[in-house]
Amino acid sequence: GWMEAPATKNSRYLAQLDGKRQLFHNIPLNTNLCYSCGEVISSFVERVVSYAKANPQVDYLHIWLADECNNICECEECQKTTLADQYVHLLNLIDQALTSEGLETRIVFLIYQELLWTPLQEKLQNEKRFTLMFAPISRVFMESYPDHMPEGPIPDYRRNRIELPTTLEENLAFLSRWQNVFHGDSFVYDYPLGRAHYGDISYLKIARTIYGDIHNLGVLHMDGYISCQELRAALPNGFPNYVMGMALSHPEITFEELVDDYFRHAYGAEYRRVLEYLTTLSKLYDCDYFNGKGPRIREDVHQSMKKALALCLLLLCLPLAAGCSLQGIADAYGFALDTLSAMGLEVTQQVLGTREQGADGITGSYQAEYTDFRGKEVIFGNASLGDKAGRKITIRCQMDDPK
């Protein structure tokens, strides 16, 4: 599989790269074969048919190629065509062999990496045999699939020099090309809980993306959804998988209804407080940044992560005081405020008056005139219950009575 392996004695069957036939980075699963080699093709077809005969309980059999891009065979014969053409030719031979054996096994073929590009010559001869699987592994997850099928250009195919699409529009442009040449069954094989969910610590943002994706499958002319994901994606909760299942089975339920139902049952009477806290955290996270998309140095992400860390520390500190004395509770809360102060979190709320902060962000001056005002204003932040420098908060007020 993905583990490194020693060199194989049958290297003549492997893709030729830079004049050499060897395992790609020593990993079998990531290595392509030489698909112009007759022995490779006949052996491939034979193995598929043998498996299908031995496993009649398998209704859908997936036929994938290497799980890594830019390692396509460069031999003279392979360079006369494209990988997609070789792949479809192979699939047609498998279909013919299965038909000869009287086997009705459905074949799932993969639209992924180099196979995002459609074949130039070959075409699937028996569409009823096949199901298209669209796997946009390089997509972004801060937004859902659009409510329309975008049309746009795609880059030219360059052997072993491809760059995977990133935006939803780019990925769907490839899908649209395939839908022009294949009109059979299809589904999305997607990755919101594969890695991107680690970039949303509360799971609310990624859950909303999942909900939107599933609700727009029909617009994209897709018939189903499979999640390529971590099996234990349930910290702090299992809400994304709940949304996935409910959106597929009960599409009439709104996202807000799913939120209310799940959190009310999971967290009890105080669930709205939990929801408010997790919603605040979710707004600070960027799934796509965590997933390697965009520039690595971003000041907005830096500031958001500082705030998120402070919120997490606050949540960890307060429960420590649950069984303590009043002083223990005050100490725990004070530590949390000290942490917020150390993070440099500044007050950004609008105020009615004029605020001038000192260099430390704690001291300063504020002047305001109030007329018939009722409410609360946060004037200065970065405060603590105690000040190590021995300073005290001093408030001077002048109340003018217009009468």
Side-chain angles (χ1 to χ4, degrees):
W2 278 295
M3 304 297 292
E4 291 192 11
T8 174
K9 61 181 180 180
N10 295 322
S11 61
R12 67 184 184 277
Y13 299 140
L14 305 181
Q16 177 181 304
L17 297 176
D18 299 324
K20 299 179 181 179
R21 296 185 185 272
Q22 57 190 16
L23 293 175
F24 190 63
H25 298 157
N26 299 320
I27 299 177
L29 195 67
N30 290 344
T31 303
N32 270 302
L33 304 176
C34 177
Y35 296 110
S36 65
C37 174
E39 291 181 74
V40 167
I41 298 302
S42 60
S43 178
F44 202 129
V45 173
E46 181 183 339
R47 294 294 180 89
V48 172
V49 174
S50 296
Y51 182 88
K53 290 175 65 176
N55 296 274
Q57 78 281 3
V58 175
D59 297 315
Y60 288 81
L61 182 58
H62 290 238
I63 305 297
W64 300 1
L65 302 185
D67 199 27
E68 186 61 85
C69 62
N70 291 327
N71 68 110
I72 308 305
C73 187
E74 299 170 341
C75 76
E76 183 177 351
E77 286 300 312
C78 283
Q79 294 211 49
K80 293 179 180 179
T81 185
T82 69
L83 181 67
D85 281 283
Q86 292 177 316
Y87 183 50
V88 171
H89 175 68
L90 174 63
L91 293 173
N92 281 331
L93 293 177
I94 292 172
D95 168 51
Q96 293 170 15
L98 291 173
T99 301
S100 297
E101 294 290 339
L103 297 171
E104 298 181 356
T105 310
R106 296 288 295 274
I107 297 298
V108 177
F109 70 100
L110 176 63
I111 307 306
Y112 177 72
Q113 298 182 348
E114 277 89 357
L115 298 176
L116 287 167
W117 280 263
T118 55
L120 300 179
Q121 303 293 333
E122 297 286 343
K123 182 179 180 180
L124 291 170
Q125 299 301 316
N126 178 18
E127 288 195 348
K128 293 182 179 180
R129 170 77 69 182
F130 298 101
T131 294
L132 180 152
M133 187 180 93
F134 175 53
I137 192 171
S138 54
R139 64 163 284 191
V140 293
F141 287 99
M142 288 293 284
E143 54 183 337
S144 302
Y145 292 130
D147 58 2
H148 63 282
M149 190 63 169
E151 294 289 341
I154 62 173
D156 293 335
Y157 173 72
R158 297 187 301 161
R159 185 179 298 267
N160 294 334
R161 297 292 184 273
I162 71 166
E163 293 184 5
L164 296 177
T166 301
T167 69
L168 296 176
E169 290 74 18
E170 291 169 342
N171 277 279
L172 293 175
F174 281 98
L175 174 61
S176 178
R177 297 302 195 281
W178 269 100
Q179 290 176 338
N180 289 336
V181 299
F182 177 78
H183 309 94
D185 187 34
S186 63
F187 66 90
V188 175
Y189 184 83
D190 221 331
Y191 306 83
L193 302 180
R195 283 186 296 272
H197 64 299
Y198 292 123
D200 178 18
I201 195 170
S202 75
Y203 283 0
L204 283 168
K205 188 177 296 180
I206 199 68
R208 183 176 286 277
T209 295
I210 292 170
Y211 183 88
D213 283 348
I214 292 173
H215 269 258
N216 287 333
L217 290 180
V219 177
L220 305 181
H221 312 296
M222 306 299 284
D223 303 311
Y225 183 98
I226 290 180
S227 175
C228 177
Q229 67 169 78
E230 305 287 349
L231 295 179
R232 297 181 178 89
L235 183 67
N237 53 58
F239 185 57
N241 275 126
Y242 173 75
V243 168
M244 193 180 296
M246 293 298 290
L248 286 166
S249 60
H250 296 80
E252 73 282 0
I253 301 179
T254 67
F255 181 77
E256 288 70 24
E257 289 172 330
L258 292 177
V259 170
D260 186 79
D261 179 65
Y262 183 91
F263 280 83
R264 181 161 43 85
H265 286 90
Y267 297 104
E270 299 296 322
Y271 79 97
R272 293 191 183 279
R273 292 188 179 184
V274 176
L275 181 58
E276 181 181 2
Y277 175 79
L278 293 179
T279 299
T280 301
L281 267 182
S282 190
K283 290 178 179 179
L284 295 172
Y285 276 77
D286 187 321
C287 300
D288 295 330
Y289 178 83
F290 186 91
N291 215 17
K293 303 294 190 296
R296 296 296 82 203
I297 299 177
R298 283 176 50 187
E299 182 60 25
D300 60 329
V301 173
H302 173 66
Q303 294 299 327
S304 293
M305 289 300 96
K306 287 169 64 176
K307 295 176 183 178
L309 178 58
L311 285 170
C312 291
L313 288 173
L314 179 60
L315 182 66
L316 290 173
C317 292
L318 294 182
L320 296 178
C324 299
S325 62
L326 290 176
Q327 184 60 47
I329 295 174
D331 290 344
Y333 187 61
F335 174 76
L337 290 178
D338 287 338
T339 302
L340 294 173
S341 178
M343 293 295 168
L345 304 183
E346 298 179 356
V347 173
T348 58
Q349 290 94 330
Q350 296 294 318
V351 291
L352 294 179
T354 301
R355 176 174 54 204
E356 295 183 4
Q357 285 189 315
D360 58 7
I362 300 175
T363 60
S365 63
Y366 178 70
Q367 294 183 359
E369 293 184 5
Y370 297 101
T371 302
D372 294 329
F373 173 77
R374 287 181 176 84
K376 178 178 69 175
E377 287 203 288
V378 181
I379 300 174
F380 296 105
N382 297 4
S384 173
L385 293 182
D387 180 47
K388 295 181 176 61
R391 295 173 297 183
K392 296 182 178 180
I393 295 176
T394 302
I395 301 176
R396 297 185 179 90
C397 299
Q398 179 178 335
M399 310 296 290
D400 294 328
D401 189 347
K403 296 181 179 179

